[in-house]
Amino acid sequence: MSLAFILTVAVNGFTEANELRPSAEDDREAMEEVAVLGRQINLNGEAISASQGEVGPTEIGAWPLNRTGDLMEFVPGMVATQHSGSGKANQYFLRGFNLDHGTDFATFVDGMPVNLRTHGHGQGYTDLNFVIPETVQRLRYRKGPYYAEVGDFSSAGSAQFVLAETLPRGLAELSFGEHGYRRAVVADSLTVSSSDVMLAAEWQGYDGPWTDIQESVHKLNLLGKVSSDLAGGRGHLAFMGYDNRWNSPDQIPARAVTQGIIDAYGSLDTTLGGNTQRYSLSGGWMGAVAAGELAVSAYAIDYGFTLWSNFTYALDFPDQGDQFQQRDDRRVYGFEAAQVWQRAAASWTLGLQGRRDDIDQVGLYRTVARKVMGTVREDQVVEDSLGLFAVNQYRWTDTLRSYLGLRYDHYDFSVNAGLAQNSGQRSDGKASLKASLAWQPWPVSEFYLSYGQGLHSNDARGTVIQVDPVSAETVDAVDPLVESCGLELGSRLFVTDQLHATLALWQLALDSELLFVGDAGNTEASRPSDRQGVEAGLYWFASEEISGELEFSYTDAQFADSDPAGNEIPGAIPLVASAAINYSADSGWFASLHLRHFGAYPLLEDGAVESAGSSLVNLRFGRDLRRWRLQLDLLNALNSNDHDVDYFYASRLPGEDPAGVEDLHYHIFEPRTLRASLRYQF
C-alpha cells in the first residue's frame, strides 16, 4: 500500500472524530457545548455497555497532570505510572493487566493508532507524548472487547482522543516549577477561506529531582489541522510533529538504597536515556452518501526510537555491565472506511481497516555508556493487517435494543533477521463475535449484557523465531494472534444532569498473557489467564461551580493453568480507587483535588512477594482574570514516597554472587513539586 494511495483515499477524519457543522461559528458553538458536557452526557439509549463514556476539555483541563500520559487516567480504573525517564511511554494498568506500555489496550489519536506492533521496547508500545493536552477536544473510552470497530490490543479496552478543530480562544501559556521544569505552549484557531485552521506548539524542559543525573528533557510538539466543509460533508487534514530527548532515572534495586550505595532518587547507571521522533500526516472525510453516512480516513507516520536501559547492572557482563540499546525505525500506513445505513428501527455499519508497519530496523544491542559493543539481534519487518467488521443495531421496543457485531482480522508477518534461521513469513486470521443487549425499563436507568471476543497480535519476530539469538538454543515460535473472550453485566443510572452512576461486573479470559522480562526490558508470551472484577463510578455535578467523582474497581486475576510456580499474575493490581473534586466560581477562582490509590499486587507467581501499593494526591488552585489565568499545581501534595511501579527479579551489583540477587526493583514517586503557570487568552 503506497502513501499516494492513502492520501488519495482520505481527505478527512474517521467515524466519531468530528460532527458535521455548517460553519465556523457553529463549530465554535459545538466545541463550547462539548466542553460543558463531557461526563455529564446522558448515554442511556445510546451506549452498548456500562463501561464506555466520554470526557470533555473542561474536565481534562481541570486536573493537574504530571506527564502527558496521565490523560489515560480519565479512563475509570486506569493507572498511568512511570519506571524510567519522563520522555518514555508511561506504564499502564487496567482491569488486572499490567499493560506494560500499552498491550491489550488500544489507543487512537484522531483515528491514528498509537500502539506500535513489533516495537523495539515492547509489543503495543503506546507513547502519548506527541499529544498537546490543550488541543484535546474529547476522550472516548470503551472497556472490554465488545466493540466490533476495534481489533488489535483491545481486550482490556480502547481510548479515542479527538483533537479540536477550533478553540473558543487562542492561548499562550508559560509554566515554571521545581527541579528545572519549564513549559511553553501556544495554540490558536482561525478561519481562512471558509476553512478552520488550528495551530499549536509545545516545548518542555525538565531536569527532575534525581541526585546523580539531570533528565535534561527537551520535548517539542507541533500541530497543524485544517478542517472544512467538503463535498457535502466535513473533512480535515492534520500534521503532527514530535521530537524528544531525555536521560533516564530507571528503576533501582531496594538493596542498593538500604546499603547506602545510592539514595531513593539515585541511579546505578547514569548514562541511560533515549530519544523519539514522530511525524504524521492524517486526514479524513465524513458525510452523507448512498442514503447513509460514509466516513473515510488515512494516515502516514514516520517514527524513530532509541532507548538505553540497564535493569540487571552486572549480571550478564560483570566487566562491561548489562546496559543495552533498543532501536525502532519505521513507517506506518493505514486507512479506514465505514458506511452506516439507518432503516427504521435498524442501523447497519460495514467497515474496512488496513495497516502496514514497514520497519526498517528493530534491534537490540549491547552497549557501554551508550556506545554499541555488539549486536544481539537486528531485523527488518513488514507487518500487514486487514480488518473487516459489520455491525447491526436494532431497537426491538421502546426499552430494548441489541448490538451484534462480527469482525475478521488477517495478519501477514515477514521478518528478515540478522540470523538467517530467524527469518521467515507467517500469516494468521481470527474471527470475533460481539453482542450486547440494552434494556431501559425506566428513563433514568439502563441495564446491559455484553459479550465479546478479542485479540492481540504478538511480536512478528516471535512468530517465526527458531533460535535464541543469545544462547543459540532452539526455541518455539509463538502464536501470531492471541484470543480473548469477555462477558459483562452492567447498569447505568442517570438520575438528573447532576447525578449519575455506573456499575459493571465483568470477566475476561486470555489465551496467553504477556509479561515483563527484566533482563531484556521486554515482554514475552506466557500462560493463559482468567480475570473477573467489579467496577463502579459515581459522578456528581452539584452546581455549575462544584463537581466531583468517585471511581472504584476490584479485579481477581489468575493464571488459568496449573503450574508449580503459582497462579498469581505479576503486576496484576487488584484494587484501584480514585476521587476528584473540582471548583470553579463566577468570580474566576478555581481549584481541584485528585486522589489516586492502587492496592498491593503480586510480583511473583506464588504471591510470596508483593508491591505495597501507593497513593497519590495532586492539587490545583488559581484564578481567571479577564484574559489572564494564574495557576498553581502541587503534585504529590502529601509528599508520598510510595512507588510508581515495582518488579521482583535478579540483578547483580559489583562484588555480589555471579548468579545475582533476587530483589525488589522500584521507581519512587517524584517528591512534592510546585509548578506555576501564567496563561493569556486572545
Side-chain angles (χ1 to χ4, degrees):
M1 175 175 23
S2 69
L3 177 59
F5 169 74
I6 290 172
L7 295 179
T8 301
V9 170
V11 193
N12 200 340
F14 170 56
T15 336
E16 300 189 337
N18 299 289
E19 277 111 20
L20 298 179
R21 283 164 283 201
S23 68
E25 181 179 354
D26 290 340
D27 192 22
R28 294 179 186 271
E29 290 175 358
M31 272 287 300
E32 292 172 2
E33 182 181 356
V34 171
V36 171
L37 292 174
R39 290 198 193 272
Q40 284 184 273
I41 293 176
N42 184 359
L43 294 178
N44 286 350
E46 297 180 12
I48 66 166
S49 83
S51 297
Q52 68 184 89
E54 183 168 313
V55 183
T58 299
E59 293 148 323
I60 293 172
W63 283 12
L65 302 177
N66 189 18
R67 313 174 186 95
T68 305
D70 292 350
L71 288 168
M72 293 285 259
E73 292 197 349
F74 285 100
V75 178
M78 176 76 83
V79 174
T81 67
Q82 184 58 272
H83 73 95
S84 187
S86 55
K88 187 179 172 183
N90 285 65
Q91 197 91 359
Y92 304 108
F93 299 82
L94 179 70
R95 287 196 165 183
F97 282 91
N98 178 349
L99 298 166
D100 193 42
H101 300 290
T103 304
D104 290 306
F105 191 85
T107 305
F108 304 86
V109 173
D110 259 11
M112 290 184 291
V114 183
N115 305 71
L116 294 176
R117 303 163 173 170
T118 312
H119 187 266
H121 183 67
Q123 179 70 343
Y125 188 80
T126 300
D127 184 359
L128 282 171
N129 278 301
F130 70 94
V131 175
I132 303 173
E134 288 83 357
T135 65
V136 177
Q137 177 181 336
R138 63 171 73 92
L139 163 62
R140 289 169 170 158
Y141 60 84
R142 297 183 289 186
K143 290 182 287 182
Y146 319 123
Y147 313 91
E149 299 87 346
V150 193
D152 202 4
F153 304 122
S154 63
S155 293
S158 64
Q160 170 80 255
F161 290 89
V162 179
L163 303 182
E165 293 184 358
T166 63
L167 297 174
R169 286 184 176 180
L171 65 91
E173 181 173 299
L174 291 175
S175 301
F176 297 92
E178 297 177 88
H179 314 303
Y181 179 83
R182 55 264 191 229
R183 179 177 183 260
V185 60
V186 59
D188 194 17
S189 54
L190 60 154
T191 301
V192 178
S193 300
S194 74
S195 296
D196 294 321
V197 180
M198 232 276 272
L199 301 171
E202 175 194 30
W203 178 84
Q204 179 188 322
Y206 185 51
D207 293 330
W210 320 107
T211 54
D212 48 14
I213 70 166
Q214 290 187 342
E215 282 199 52
S216 299
V217 172
H218 183 87
K219 179 170 81 169
L220 178 65
N221 272 321
L222 299 173
L223 168 65
K225 184 174 182 178
V226 180
S227 308
S228 180
D229 295 337
L230 181 67
R234 184 75 176 173
H236 83 261
L237 186 67
F239 167 81
M240 302 183 75
Y242 164 66
D243 188 283
N244 198 357
R245 301 174 187 275
W246 70 94
N247 299 319
S248 291
D250 254 339
Q251 61 214 44
I252 55 175
R255 66 187 186 280
V257 178
T258 58
Q259 294 173 13
I261 300 173
I262 57 174
D263 64 25
Y265 297 96
S267 300
L268 291 174
D269 187 338
T270 59
T271 64
L272 308 179
N275 59 74
T276 302
Q277 302 81 41
R278 183 190 185 279
Y279 303 95
S280 66
L281 186 65
S282 62
W285 178 88
M286 183 169 66
V289 174
E293 188 174 70
L294 173 67
V296 294
S297 65
Y299 54 86
I301 304 169
D302 184 83
Y303 176 85
F305 167 92
T306 305
L307 183 71
W308 292 269
S309 303
N310 188 346
F311 299 136
T312 51
Y313 319 116
L315 179 64
D316 298 322
F317 302 96
D319 296 331
Q320 295 182 337
D322 295 350
Q323 187 184 105
F324 58 90
Q325 180 194 81
Q326 295 164 317
R327 286 187 197 163
D328 195 293
D329 181 16
R330 73 176 67 203
R331 261 70 43 206
V332 184
Y333 311 114
F335 71 92
E336 177 164 358
Q339 174 78 37
V340 180
W341 295 273
Q342 183 71 46
R343 294 290 186 274
S347 72
W348 288 88
T349 303
L350 185 64
L352 181 67
Q353 300 162 339
R355 172 173 170 176
R356 163 168 285 195
D357 287 68
D358 187 358
I359 308 172
D360 285 341
Q361 180 186 42
V362 54
L364 177 64
Y365 311 87
R366 292 192 298 270
T367 58
V368 174
R370 302 195 183 189
K371 181 180 179 181
V372 175
M373 308 302 293
T375 299
V376 178
R377 70 176 300 169
E378 184 177 82
D379 307 291
Q380 292 180 318
V381 178
V382 176
E383 184 170 343
D384 292 319
S385 68
L386 197 65
L388 177 66
F389 64 91
V391 176
N392 171 260
Q393 297 191 65
Y394 194 84
R395 182 172 291 277
W396 297 91
T397 69
D398 290 341
T399 61
L400 185 64
R401 297 180 292 117
S402 65
Y403 174 100
L404 182 63
L406 185 62
R407 181 181 180 91
Y408 181 79
D409 289 281
H410 181 83
Y411 283 73
D412 290 311
F413 305 89
S414 177
V415 179
N416 182 9
L419 188 64
Q421 297 97 313
N422 289 334
S423 296
Q425 297 180 345
R426 198 165 176 187
S427 298
D428 198 5
K430 296 289 184 186
S432 305
L433 176 67
K434 325 278 187 173
S436 291
L437 284 175
W439 179 48
Q440 189 177 10
W442 307 285
V444 298
S445 62
E446 191 162 48
F447 299 88
Y448 309 93
L449 178 62
S450 303
Y451 169 85
Q453 297 170 322
L455 60 86
H456 74 235
S457 61
N458 272 327
D459 190 303
R461 294 168 293 180
T463 68
V464 299
I465 191 171
Q466 297 184 45
V467 177
D468 186 295
V470 176
S471 67
E473 296 178 351
T474 301
V475 295
D476 295 327
V478 300
D479 293 332
L481 303 178
V482 176
E483 296 180 357
S484 63
C485 183
L487 183 67
E488 179 174 308
L489 178 64
S491 64
R492 188 184 304 272
L493 181 68
F494 197 93
V495 180
T496 67
D497 290 343
Q498 293 181 300
L499 181 65
H500 61 100
T502 59
L503 177 67
L505 303 173
W506 61 271
Q507 63 181 33
L508 181 71
L510 191 67
D511 282 354
S512 175
E513 192 81 15
L514 284 179
L515 293 182
F516 178 80
V517 183
D519 59 359
N522 215 327
T523 53
E524 68 177 17
S526 181
R527 300 154 56 190
S529 61
D530 288 327
R531 289 172 171 80
Q532 55 189 356
V534 57
E535 295 176 334
L538 180 66
Y539 306 94
W540 177 53
F541 303 90
S543 65
E544 293 185 0
E545 294 184 341
I546 299 176
S547 65
E549 61 185 64
L550 179 64
E551 296 170 338
F552 167 89
S553 66
Y554 181 81
T555 302
D556 176 40
Q558 303 280 330
F559 285 116
D561 60 354
S562 296
D563 192 296
N567 291 326
E568 300 289 339
I569 301 176
I573 298 177
L575 174 65
V576 177
S578 66
I581 186 164
N582 305 309
Y583 171 77
S584 180
D586 291 339
S587 61
W589 291 104
F590 60 89
S592 67
L593 178 149
H594 180 222
L595 164 68
R596 183 204 71 196
H597 169 79
F598 59 84
Y601 56 92
L603 300 178
L604 293 176
E605 284 89 339
D606 61 6
V609 181
E610 285 190 332
S611 162
S614 70
S615 298
L616 184 67
V617 175
N618 293 330
L619 299 174
R620 170 169 288 178
F621 178 78
R623 190 176 186 187
D624 287 313
L625 294 169
R626 296 182 182 273
R627 294 183 178 271
W628 293 92
R629 164 177 285 201
L630 177 62
Q631 176 179 292
L632 299 176
D633 289 345
L634 190 62
L635 305 175
N636 190 7
L638 301 182
N639 204 30
S640 168
N641 60 1
D642 290 344
H643 299 168
D644 252 324
V645 67
D646 290 311
Y647 302 102
F648 193 86
Y649 57 86
S651 62
R652 182 176 183 267
L653 305 181
E656 291 184 337
D657 188 287
V661 176
E662 297 276 341
D663 196 8
L664 175 72
H665 296 72
Y666 67 88
H667 192 270
I668 196 170
F669 280 167
E670 296 184 24
R672 180 168 49 224
T673 302
L674 181 65
R675 295 177 181 175
S677 301
L678 181 64
R679 173 182 294 185
Y680 177 72
Q681 298 183 90
F682 49 88

